[in-house]
Amino acid sequence: MRDLFIRGGLVVGPTDVAPSHVRIVDGVIAAVGPELSPASNDYVIEADGCWVGPGFIDLHTHLREPGKEAAENIDSGANAAALGGYSAVVAMPNTEPALDSVAMVTYVLERGASARVDVAVAGAITVGRRGEQLAPLAKLASLGVTLFTDDGTGVQNAGVMRRAMTYAAQLGVTLAQHCEDETLAAGGVMNEGRVSSELGLVGRPAIAEEVMVARDIDLVRLTGCPVHFLHLSTARSLALVRAAQREGLPVTAEIAPHHFTLDETACRDFDPEFKVHPPLRHASDVAALREALRAGEIDAVATDHAPHTPESKDLAFDEAPPGMLGLQHAASLTLDVVGTDSPVQFFDVLSRGPARIAQLRAEDSRPRHSAHGGAMQPGDDANVVVFDPSMTYLVDRHHLASRAKNTPYHGRTLRGSARATIVRGVVVQEGGELC
Ligand code: DOR
């Protein structure tokens, strides 16, 4: 492993920024400061005009392995993550079979150990994600799993969710909920509203999400279990979470770039690239999400990176699977809202917040992986991104690391790009090329 020297960037700490060089020795940040110079053998990364901060962490990545490797596998997903500036991803358990057993979780952890970025695993809450019988939460927690979810669907039965929360609270793990009540959402393919009526499509109403957020907040109050709300998409969901946080309840929320950059009118052409669960919402929800992100009220931006093969997406809107790619463009889309004058907040939602929620920091009790979301201080594991906030690029679905191509941003020019991604002291991506 070569030692590294990151020259001339703006180092982004938890509360402030400083023009500094960063020296990385043996996989660890060895020194940070304006007066350093590289050793003769150091590999130098030029960071002029760049932000240098902790690598991004995606709390919500569908890696599709095992079971749907035609759309993505652990390596291709990790490559997309490295290109997007991520040093770690949390793999979602809605694989086939689901990640609901020691064998399946171990399989993904072992395969992930040789990927370009750290791969943490979210275990399923229930066996087969069927919402009935609890998965072996304690056994999975002993493998280092700190997040559990049935994502793809929410746990519909309040009694099952309560039982899961009671166990999870004792295990020191967090439940992550996909909030959609199926009695309200079932059969729907886009947001319920005027646009769905015009198009003659069945809607998934905002209330389907909001009743589950409200229910789970009540269950958190009862059980004390930490709950993380996945991909919230409505103004009211955010208001409910904010009120619960003010009350002191252990709840956190993420929002996904597609929900704060696209609204339901994108479905007007019946293009399945814009189909996702929860669906793209009304413009007023998009505005509320953007405002909350700008105001520092969001704990994490997470991608819900959901690869689907071209064959499966090339169906009628009603029949195509929901979901879109996210890893390679999430940081640019976040920058567009947070702005170039808020680097601390940018790293809060893309790195430090997610690291706290997934318990991936050095100070967390069971770091199975190297530590992420650090303060950029000597002694930190060197999981670092060099991010150029001014570089622009054209999104081309044919030039993505993912096996799938289902991005709704094809043809758009975006700003802000990861110039280099360093994982455990190794440069895994530089200048848009995998290393
Ligand atoms: O649109 C979605 N696609 N939402 C989810 O929650 C799951 C995801 C998938 O796995 O394709």
Short mmCIF file of all heavy atoms in Angstrom, two decimals, residues 17 73 87 107-108 131 186 225 259 326 355:
data_model
loop_
_atom_site.label_atom_id
_atom_site.label_comp_id
_atom_site.label_asym_id
_atom_site.label_seq_id
_atom_site.Cartn_x
_atom_site.Cartn_y
_atom_site.Cartn_z
N VAL A 17 -14.19 24.34 8.16
CA VAL A 17 -13.33 23.92 7.06
C VAL A 17 -12.00 24.66 7.16
O VAL A 17 -11.94 25.75 7.74
CB VAL A 17 -13.99 24.24 5.69
CG1 VAL A 17 -15.31 23.50 5.55
CG2 VAL A 17 -14.18 25.73 5.50
N ASN A 73 -24.32 -6.74 -9.15
CA ASN A 73 -23.79 -7.63 -8.13
C ASN A 73 -22.98 -6.80 -7.14
O ASN A 73 -22.91 -5.57 -7.27
CB ASN A 73 -23.03 -8.82 -8.73
CG ASN A 73 -21.73 -8.40 -9.39
OD1 ASN A 73 -21.32 -7.24 -9.33
ND2 ASN A 73 -21.08 -9.34 -10.04
N SER A 87 -17.39 5.51 0.42
CA SER A 87 -16.41 4.56 0.95
C SER A 87 -17.13 3.38 1.61
O SER A 87 -16.48 2.38 1.93
CB SER A 87 -15.47 5.23 1.94
OG SER A 87 -16.19 5.90 2.95
N TYR A 107 -22.66 -14.55 3.70
CA TYR A 107 -22.31 -14.59 2.27
C TYR A 107 -22.03 -13.18 1.74
O TYR A 107 -21.01 -12.93 1.11
CB TYR A 107 -23.44 -15.26 1.48
CG TYR A 107 -23.27 -15.16 -0.01
CD1 TYR A 107 -22.43 -16.04 -0.70
CD2 TYR A 107 -23.91 -14.16 -0.75
CE1 TYR A 107 -22.26 -15.93 -2.08
CE2 TYR A 107 -23.74 -14.04 -2.12
CZ TYR A 107 -22.91 -14.93 -2.78
OH TYR A 107 -22.73 -14.80 -4.13
N VAL A 108 -22.94 -12.26 2.02
CA VAL A 108 -22.76 -10.89 1.49
C VAL A 108 -21.57 -10.20 2.15
O VAL A 108 -20.78 -9.52 1.49
CB VAL A 108 -24.06 -10.06 1.63
CG1 VAL A 108 -23.84 -8.62 1.18
CG2 VAL A 108 -25.18 -10.70 0.80
N GLY A 131 -43.18 -10.30 6.72
CA GLY A 131 -43.91 -9.49 7.71
C GLY A 131 -44.60 -10.30 8.78
O GLY A 131 -45.47 -9.78 9.48
N ALA A 186 -51.61 -0.48 -2.15
CA ALA A 186 -51.58 -1.64 -3.04
C ALA A 186 -52.23 -1.34 -4.39
O ALA A 186 -53.29 -0.71 -4.45
CB ALA A 186 -52.28 -2.83 -2.39
N CYS A 225 -37.22 1.90 21.06
CA CYS A 225 -36.33 1.39 20.01
C CYS A 225 -36.00 2.47 18.99
O CYS A 225 -36.91 3.15 18.50
CB CYS A 225 -37.02 0.22 19.31
SG CYS A 225 -36.06 -0.43 17.93
N HIS A 259 -36.48 11.97 -4.90
CA HIS A 259 -37.65 12.61 -4.28
C HIS A 259 -37.47 14.11 -4.10
O HIS A 259 -38.45 14.82 -3.92
CB HIS A 259 -37.97 11.96 -2.93
CG HIS A 259 -38.58 10.59 -3.05
ND1 HIS A 259 -38.15 9.51 -2.34
CD2 HIS A 259 -39.59 10.14 -3.84
CE1 HIS A 259 -38.86 8.44 -2.66
NE2 HIS A 259 -39.74 8.79 -3.58
N GLY A 326 -28.82 5.27 -8.26
CA GLY A 326 -28.57 6.48 -7.47
C GLY A 326 -27.12 6.77 -7.14
O GLY A 326 -26.74 7.94 -6.97
N ALA A 355 -23.12 7.60 8.87
CA ALA A 355 -22.20 6.77 9.66
C ALA A 355 -22.73 6.58 11.08
O ALA A 355 -22.62 5.50 11.66
CB ALA A 355 -20.81 7.42 9.71
#
